[in-house]
Short mmCIF file of all heavy atoms in Angstrom, two decimals:
data_model
loop_
_atom_site.label_atom_id
_atom_site.label_comp_id
_atom_site.label_asym_id
_atom_site.label_seq_id
_atom_site.Cartn_x
_atom_site.Cartn_y
_atom_site.Cartn_z
N GLN A 115 -16.69 8.25 -1.69
CA GLN A 115 -16.41 9.52 -2.33
C GLN A 115 -16.69 10.69 -1.55
O GLN A 115 -17.63 10.76 -0.82
CB GLN A 115 -17.22 9.57 -3.70
CG GLN A 115 -16.84 10.77 -4.56
CD GLN A 115 -17.59 10.77 -5.84
OE1 GLN A 115 -17.98 9.65 -6.30
NE2 GLN A 115 -17.66 11.97 -6.46
N GLY A 116 -15.68 11.68 -1.47
CA GLY A 116 -15.79 12.88 -0.75
C GLY A 116 -15.22 13.97 -1.45
O GLY A 116 -14.86 13.94 -2.57
N GLY A 117 -15.00 15.17 -0.73
CA GLY A 117 -14.34 16.32 -1.11
C GLY A 117 -15.22 17.37 -1.60
O GLY A 117 -14.72 18.48 -2.07
N ASP A 118 -16.37 17.27 -1.73
CA ASP A 118 -17.42 18.37 -2.22
C ASP A 118 -17.72 19.22 -0.98
O ASP A 118 -18.68 19.12 -0.22
CB ASP A 118 -18.71 17.73 -2.76
CG ASP A 118 -19.61 18.88 -3.18
OD1 ASP A 118 -19.21 20.07 -3.06
OD2 ASP A 118 -20.75 18.60 -3.62
N PHE A 119 -16.87 20.20 -0.65
CA PHE A 119 -17.04 21.04 0.50
C PHE A 119 -17.98 22.19 0.11
O PHE A 119 -18.35 22.99 1.02
CB PHE A 119 -15.59 21.68 0.88
CG PHE A 119 -14.86 22.26 -0.28
CD1 PHE A 119 -15.14 23.54 -0.63
CD2 PHE A 119 -13.83 21.59 -0.90
CE1 PHE A 119 -14.50 24.18 -1.70
CE2 PHE A 119 -13.14 22.25 -1.89
CZ PHE A 119 -13.38 23.49 -2.31
N GLU A 120 -18.30 22.24 -1.26
CA GLU A 120 -19.12 23.34 -1.69
C GLU A 120 -20.62 23.03 -1.38
O GLU A 120 -21.30 23.86 -0.79
CB GLU A 120 -18.95 23.76 -3.17
CG GLU A 120 -19.61 24.90 -3.65
CD GLU A 120 -19.31 25.08 -5.14
OE1 GLU A 120 -18.87 24.28 -5.82
OE2 GLU A 120 -19.60 26.26 -5.55
N HIS A 121 -21.04 21.95 -1.85
CA HIS A 121 -22.38 21.60 -1.76
C HIS A 121 -22.74 20.34 -0.88
O HIS A 121 -23.88 20.13 -0.48
CB HIS A 121 -23.09 21.41 -3.21
CG HIS A 121 -23.08 22.60 -4.05
ND1 HIS A 121 -23.47 23.86 -3.71
CD2 HIS A 121 -22.53 22.67 -5.32
CE1 HIS A 121 -23.28 24.67 -4.69
NE2 HIS A 121 -22.66 24.02 -5.68
N GLY A 122 -21.77 19.50 -0.79
CA GLY A 122 -21.95 18.27 -0.03
C GLY A 122 -22.62 17.19 -0.62
O GLY A 122 -23.06 16.27 0.03
N ASN A 123 -22.93 17.28 -1.95
CA ASN A 123 -23.85 16.16 -2.65
C ASN A 123 -23.11 15.70 -3.93
O ASN A 123 -23.79 14.91 -4.73
CB ASN A 123 -25.16 16.85 -2.95
CG ASN A 123 -25.07 18.05 -3.91
OD1 ASN A 123 -23.96 18.36 -4.35
ND2 ASN A 123 -26.19 18.74 -4.00
N GLY A 124 -21.91 15.94 -4.12
CA GLY A 124 -21.24 15.51 -5.36
C GLY A 124 -21.36 16.42 -6.55
O GLY A 124 -20.78 16.09 -7.56
N ARG A 125 -21.99 17.65 -6.35
CA ARG A 125 -22.15 18.49 -7.47
C ARG A 125 -21.28 19.66 -7.47
O ARG A 125 -21.45 20.69 -8.17
CB ARG A 125 -23.59 18.91 -7.64
CG ARG A 125 -24.55 17.71 -7.87
CD ARG A 125 -25.97 18.25 -8.04
NE ARG A 125 -26.91 17.13 -8.21
CZ ARG A 125 -28.19 17.34 -8.32
NH1 ARG A 125 -28.85 18.43 -8.27
NH2 ARG A 125 -29.00 16.17 -8.58
N GLY A 126 -20.41 19.77 -6.40
CA GLY A 126 -19.67 20.97 -6.11
C GLY A 126 -18.21 20.70 -5.87
O GLY A 126 -17.63 19.67 -5.99
N GLY A 127 -17.53 21.79 -5.33
CA GLY A 127 -16.05 21.62 -5.11
C GLY A 127 -15.28 22.21 -6.24
O GLY A 127 -15.60 22.20 -7.42
N TYR A 128 -14.01 22.59 -5.83
CA TYR A 128 -13.10 23.13 -6.79
C TYR A 128 -11.64 23.15 -6.35
O TYR A 128 -11.49 22.90 -5.20
CB TYR A 128 -13.61 24.58 -7.11
CG TYR A 128 -14.06 25.45 -6.10
CD1 TYR A 128 -13.10 26.23 -5.27
CD2 TYR A 128 -15.33 25.59 -5.67
CE1 TYR A 128 -13.49 26.94 -4.25
CE2 TYR A 128 -15.84 26.27 -4.58
CZ TYR A 128 -14.91 27.03 -3.91
OH TYR A 128 -15.31 27.77 -2.78
N SER A 129 -10.81 23.35 -7.22
CA SER A 129 -9.42 23.29 -6.86
C SER A 129 -8.85 24.51 -6.17
O SER A 129 -9.65 25.54 -6.15
CB SER A 129 -8.59 22.84 -8.15
OG SER A 129 -8.50 24.15 -8.89
N ILE A 130 -7.65 24.57 -5.90
CA ILE A 130 -6.91 25.69 -5.25
C ILE A 130 -6.67 26.81 -6.11
O ILE A 130 -6.28 27.80 -5.91
CB ILE A 130 -5.66 25.28 -4.53
CG1 ILE A 130 -4.60 24.62 -5.38
CG2 ILE A 130 -6.08 24.31 -3.28
CD1 ILE A 130 -3.39 24.39 -4.82
N TRP A 131 -6.84 26.45 -7.49
CA TRP A 131 -6.48 27.35 -8.69
C TRP A 131 -7.75 28.06 -9.11
O TRP A 131 -7.76 28.80 -10.07
CB TRP A 131 -5.76 26.77 -9.80
CG TRP A 131 -4.44 26.23 -9.31
CD1 TRP A 131 -3.35 26.88 -8.84
CD2 TRP A 131 -4.17 24.78 -9.12
NE1 TRP A 131 -2.33 26.00 -8.46
CE2 TRP A 131 -2.75 24.74 -8.55
CE3 TRP A 131 -4.74 23.56 -9.27
CZ2 TRP A 131 -2.18 23.55 -8.33
CZ3 TRP A 131 -4.18 22.37 -9.01
CH2 TRP A 131 -2.83 22.38 -8.41
N ALA A 132 -8.92 27.78 -8.43
CA ALA A 132 -10.18 28.36 -8.95
C ALA A 132 -10.07 29.94 -8.72
O ALA A 132 -9.37 30.36 -7.81
CB ALA A 132 -11.34 27.71 -8.12
N GLU A 133 -10.95 30.62 -9.37
CA GLU A 133 -10.90 32.05 -9.37
C GLU A 133 -12.27 32.52 -8.89
O GLU A 133 -13.27 32.26 -9.46
CB GLU A 133 -10.60 32.69 -10.76
CG GLU A 133 -9.19 32.29 -11.31
CD GLU A 133 -8.91 32.86 -12.63
OE1 GLU A 133 -9.73 33.73 -13.10
OE2 GLU A 133 -7.92 32.52 -13.27
N LYS A 134 -12.25 33.24 -7.74
CA LYS A 134 -13.48 33.79 -7.18
C LYS A 134 -13.62 35.21 -7.54
O LYS A 134 -12.55 36.05 -7.44
CB LYS A 134 -13.47 33.59 -5.66
CG LYS A 134 -13.49 32.19 -5.13
CD LYS A 134 -13.56 32.04 -3.67
CE LYS A 134 -13.67 30.71 -3.19
NZ LYS A 134 -13.85 30.61 -1.66
N HIS A 135 -14.84 35.69 -8.07
CA HIS A 135 -15.07 36.96 -8.46
C HIS A 135 -15.94 37.77 -7.55
O HIS A 135 -16.64 37.06 -6.66
CB HIS A 135 -15.73 36.91 -9.85
CG HIS A 135 -14.86 36.14 -10.84
ND1 HIS A 135 -13.74 36.78 -11.44
CD2 HIS A 135 -14.99 34.83 -11.32
CE1 HIS A 135 -13.09 35.73 -12.22
NE2 HIS A 135 -13.87 34.64 -12.20
N GLU A 136 -15.96 39.04 -7.66
CA GLU A 136 -16.74 39.85 -6.72
C GLU A 136 -18.23 39.59 -6.76
O GLU A 136 -18.90 39.76 -5.70
CB GLU A 136 -16.39 41.38 -6.98
CG GLU A 136 -15.00 41.75 -6.78
CD GLU A 136 -14.83 43.23 -7.00
OE1 GLU A 136 -15.87 43.90 -7.56
OE2 GLU A 136 -13.66 43.79 -6.81
N ASP A 137 -18.75 39.21 -7.80
CA ASP A 137 -20.29 38.78 -7.91
C ASP A 137 -20.50 37.39 -7.42
O ASP A 137 -21.73 36.97 -7.42
CB ASP A 137 -20.67 38.89 -9.36
CG ASP A 137 -19.91 37.97 -10.29
OD1 ASP A 137 -19.16 37.12 -9.82
OD2 ASP A 137 -20.22 37.98 -11.61
N GLY A 138 -19.49 36.76 -6.82
CA GLY A 138 -19.73 35.57 -6.11
C GLY A 138 -19.64 34.25 -7.06
O GLY A 138 -19.74 33.19 -6.58
N THR A 139 -19.38 34.54 -8.36
CA THR A 139 -19.06 33.34 -9.26
C THR A 139 -17.74 32.86 -9.13
O THR A 139 -16.82 33.62 -8.62
CB THR A 139 -19.36 33.73 -10.69
OG1 THR A 139 -18.45 34.91 -11.01
CG2 THR A 139 -20.75 34.32 -10.85
N ILE A 140 -17.62 31.60 -9.52
CA ILE A 140 -16.30 30.89 -9.31
C ILE A 140 -15.84 30.34 -10.71
O ILE A 140 -16.74 29.57 -11.35
CB ILE A 140 -16.28 29.81 -8.32
CG1 ILE A 140 -16.71 30.38 -6.97
CG2 ILE A 140 -14.82 29.11 -8.18
CD1 ILE A 140 -16.87 29.38 -5.91
N THR A 141 -14.81 30.53 -11.31
CA THR A 141 -14.36 30.11 -12.59
C THR A 141 -13.17 29.29 -12.45
O THR A 141 -12.45 29.38 -11.39
CB THR A 141 -14.25 31.12 -13.55
OG1 THR A 141 -13.24 32.08 -13.12
CG2 THR A 141 -15.60 31.93 -13.83
N ASN A 142 -12.80 28.56 -13.56
CA ASN A 142 -11.60 27.73 -13.55
C ASN A 142 -11.49 26.87 -12.33
O ASN A 142 -10.49 26.68 -11.57
CB ASN A 142 -10.36 28.65 -13.48
CG ASN A 142 -10.19 29.53 -14.78
OD1 ASN A 142 -10.62 29.07 -15.92
ND2 ASN A 142 -9.48 30.72 -14.62
N LYS A 143 -12.63 26.10 -12.08
CA LYS A 143 -12.80 25.19 -11.05
C LYS A 143 -11.84 23.93 -11.21
O LYS A 143 -11.46 23.41 -10.17
CB LYS A 143 -14.13 24.73 -10.82
CG LYS A 143 -15.07 25.81 -10.31
CD LYS A 143 -16.48 25.33 -10.02
CE LYS A 143 -17.43 26.15 -9.30
NZ LYS A 143 -18.84 25.55 -8.93
N HIS A 144 -11.55 23.61 -12.30
CA HIS A 144 -10.96 22.17 -12.58
C HIS A 144 -9.62 22.36 -13.22
O HIS A 144 -9.29 23.46 -13.70
CB HIS A 144 -11.91 21.38 -13.55
CG HIS A 144 -13.39 21.26 -13.01
ND1 HIS A 144 -14.37 21.69 -13.64
CD2 HIS A 144 -13.73 20.68 -11.86
CE1 HIS A 144 -15.51 21.45 -12.96
NE2 HIS A 144 -15.17 20.88 -11.93
N PHE A 145 -8.95 21.27 -13.15
CA PHE A 145 -7.58 21.25 -13.67
C PHE A 145 -7.43 19.82 -14.43
O PHE A 145 -8.18 19.04 -14.26
CB PHE A 145 -6.48 21.46 -12.66
CG PHE A 145 -6.33 20.42 -11.66
CD1 PHE A 145 -5.44 19.37 -11.73
CD2 PHE A 145 -7.14 20.58 -10.58
CE1 PHE A 145 -5.33 18.52 -10.69
CE2 PHE A 145 -7.11 19.59 -9.47
CZ PHE A 145 -6.23 18.54 -9.55
N GLU A 146 -6.26 19.82 -15.24
CA GLU A 146 -6.13 18.72 -16.13
C GLU A 146 -5.69 17.42 -15.52
O GLU A 146 -5.00 17.58 -14.45
CB GLU A 146 -5.23 19.14 -17.31
CG GLU A 146 -3.69 19.40 -16.85
CD GLU A 146 -3.46 20.61 -16.14
OE1 GLU A 146 -4.43 21.50 -16.05
OE2 GLU A 146 -2.33 20.78 -15.60
#
Side-chain angles (χ1 to χ4, degrees):
Q115 183 175 338
D118 179 3
F119 54 81
E120 185 179 18
H121 301 309
N123 58 10
R125 298 181 180 180
Y128 41 88
S129 77
I130 60 173
W131 300 289
E133 298 177 8
K134 295 185 176 182
H135 304 281
E136 293 182 357
D137 61 1
T139 60
I140 302 174
T141 58
N142 296 326
K143 289 185 171 185
H144 305 117
F145 63 98
E146 68 282 354

